[in-house]
Amino acid sequence: MTNADPVQGDIWKEKGYIMDGMGAAQKLIQNHVLKKEEYVTLLECASDRDVKKVLTDEAVRLRKIYYGDKVYTRGLIEFTNYCKNNCYYCGIRAGNRNVVRYRLTEEEILDCCREGYRLGFHTFVLQGGEDPYYTDEIMVELIRAIKAEFPDCALTLSIGEKSRESYRLFREAGADRYLLRHETANAEHYGSLHPAAMSLSDRKQCLYDLKELGYQAGAGFMVGSPGQTVEHMAEDLVFLQELQPQMVGIGPFIPHHDTIFAEEKAGSVEMTLFLLSVIRIMLPKVLLPATTALGTMDPQGREKGLKAGANVVMPNLSPVKNRKQYELYDNKICTGEEAAQCRGCLAGRVQRAGYCLVTDRGDAV
């Protein structure tokens, strides 16, 4: 799970904070916001059955108020696994020479969209590494082509840090949403996961730019990443409060064999589920995916995520021949019921979890 000091809660008490886990949960439910030290107290009680139940029940209640039983689908198109960055945890980092690299052409991407549309998808997510080949001009042409052929669909981009001007061009071309996980809101922890050329301040500025330009913006972080403490996760929650994103993507850290973190322990499914409930209460209207990483760690992970407050799933529309090559972490699920072509299988699983898979765009309310 985390490397948090087990006596952290006692330290906060010595500083005058005497709230226990249930008290923090009740305050979050009442106010939808906590101070950092109160989040620490809450997260230290993540394994407390009573605290977990009260948060899960409230998360589900809020989810149903704003979204009913709907679960939105996003057709994921992983269109390039080239990346100029060398993030220490990532399987497609620039320094990994064992990756078989690929790029999809515009026509291949459009074919993925056509297949997705035929299957009932009305949101497409273009996700890739930070690939210099896809210049602003190429991306603008691609965005316009997708929006021209599928004007009733939403288009989400997830292609990393760009300049404000690039984001402006993509928005004007028709992009609706942008996913950019901040990964960790603690600068020192961020530095332990990324090379010196990358900075948390740059990442945060990108997120603020995206919001100001009118995107539905999405942030998020890894749960249980190397060196993460409960205090770090509390800082993540405080940052999400400040940013007020329309989407939040979190999932357990999963090591990749070709990184320096190959032998690190994976993040906790239970802590991820706990945090999904916390985030739903913090941001009641947020679009909250039950992520692929959650499904990779636990065969019932996505269903558990939906029952904890999530309301989005992202099946894979990428060409089958490329799915295994977009390996951010080991054992990533990308075929079978994770594939968009098995939408009926996924709908059945969602229904068994008590919800209904829908085909509309699923904009944030």
Side-chain angles (χ1 to χ4, degrees):
M1 283 180 44
T2 69
N3 300 319
D5 185 342
V7 300
Q8 184 71 58
D10 293 331
I11 293 172
W12 288 120
K13 288 177 185 177
E14 289 172 12
K15 293 181 179 179
Y17 305 111
I18 57 174
M19 181 177 291
D20 62 8
M22 185 59 77
Q26 295 291 357
K27 184 175 180 181
L28 179 65
I29 289 169
Q30 181 176 351
N31 298 336
H32 303 285
V33 61
L34 294 176
K35 298 174 182 177
K36 175 185 169 181
E37 59 270 13
E38 293 168 338
Y39 279 124
V40 170
T41 298
L42 183 65
L43 293 170
E44 286 180 334
C45 296
S47 60
D48 185 297
R49 186 175 301 176
D50 293 334
V51 172
K52 187 160 51 176
K53 184 178 188 309
V54 75
L55 290 176
T56 302
D57 289 350
E58 178 64 7
V60 170
R61 187 185 75 84
L62 290 170
R63 176 202 191 289
K64 289 191 174 183
I65 286 174
Y66 294 104
Y67 293 105
D69 291 331
K70 293 180 178 179
V71 172
Y72 300 108
T73 52
R74 313 312 195 199
L76 181 63
I77 304 169
E78 296 161 333
F79 69 105
T80 174
N81 70 348
Y82 283 85
C83 190
K84 66 182 178 67
N85 293 330
N86 223 350
C87 303
Y88 301 147
Y89 51 83
C90 184
I92 64 168
R93 62 192 177 86
N96 185 0
R97 298 183 179 180
N98 296 323
V99 179
V100 178
R101 304 287 178 176
Y102 73 92
R103 295 184 177 108
L104 301 187
T105 65
E106 179 178 309
E107 191 60 26
E108 286 175 318
I109 293 169
L110 285 169
D111 281 343
C112 292
C113 294
R114 290 167 188 141
E115 171 74 354
Y117 197 79
R118 184 186 68 79
L119 292 167
F121 290 87
H122 286 80
T123 295
F124 305 120
V125 180
L126 290 186
Q127 179 173 299
E130 292 192 24
D131 185 350
Y133 170 83
Y134 292 96
T135 62
D136 288 356
E137 292 75 17
I138 290 174
M139 286 305 304
V140 164
E141 180 182 337
L142 176 59
I143 292 163
R144 286 176 175 163
I146 292 171
K147 294 297 282 191
E149 190 165 344
F150 307 99
D152 58 331
C153 294
L155 179 60
T156 302
L157 302 180
S158 183
I159 52 176
E161 295 181 15
K162 304 290 181 182
S163 69
R164 184 186 177 93
E165 176 64 10
S166 296
Y167 290 148
R168 183 187 68 78
L169 291 170
F170 302 160
R171 180 78 179 117
E172 290 180 354
D176 302 285
R177 305 169 183 153
Y178 203 105
L179 300 174
L180 181 65
R181 286 188 176 188
H182 64 277
E183 301 300 4
T184 173
N186 179 278
E188 184 178 352
H189 187 221
Y190 190 93
S192 73
L193 300 174
H194 300 88
M198 300 178 70
S199 75
L200 178 60
S201 59
D202 289 346
R203 182 64 58 99
K204 286 184 173 181
Q205 188 57 55
C206 286
L207 284 162
Y208 284 114
D209 286 345
L210 289 163
K211 284 208 70 181
E212 290 171 9
L213 289 166
Y215 285 91
Q216 291 183 38
F221 57 95
M222 293 181 290
V223 179
S225 57
Q228 186 185 62
T229 67
V230 170
E231 191 167 277
H232 292 154
M233 288 189 285
E235 291 179 51
D236 287 317
L237 296 174
V238 171
F239 174 63
L240 291 175
Q241 282 178 181
E242 295 170 355
L243 181 66
Q244 291 288 303
Q246 290 91 346
M247 302 174 285
V248 174
I250 67 168
F253 163 76
I254 304 174
H256 187 282
H257 61 277
D258 280 327
T259 70
I260 62 171
F261 298 131
E263 301 303 318
E264 292 285 333
K265 184 179 178 181
S268 163
V269 169
E270 290 306 313
M271 179 60 87
T272 304
L273 297 172
F274 187 83
L275 283 161
L276 285 173
S277 295
V278 169
I279 292 166
R280 171 60 67 198
I281 296 168
M282 282 174 47
L283 304 168
K285 299 179 181 179
V286 77
L287 293 165
L288 193 60
T291 60
T292 301
L294 199 53
T296 298
M297 286 288 293
D298 184 331
Q300 295 293 312
R302 281 169 301 180
E303 290 91 332
K304 291 178 180 178
L306 296 176
K307 291 178 179 179
N311 65 331
V312 174
V313 291
M314 298 173 66
N316 202 315
L317 271 173
S318 308
V320 174
K321 63 183 172 64
N322 301 122
R323 289 179 192 174
K324 285 292 185 183
Q325 295 166 331
Y326 198 86
E327 189 181 60
L328 305 181
Y329 47 80
D330 285 347
N331 304 314
K332 176 187 158 195
I333 53 173
C334 56
T335 56
E337 292 190 12
E338 179 61 22
Q341 288 76 8
C342 198
R343 192 178 182 283
C345 314
L346 184 59
R349 295 183 67 162
V350 168
Q351 187 173 18
R352 287 191 292 275
Y355 297 99
C356 178
L357 205 64
V358 296
T359 60
D360 60 63
R361 289 169 44 124
D363 291 302
V365 297

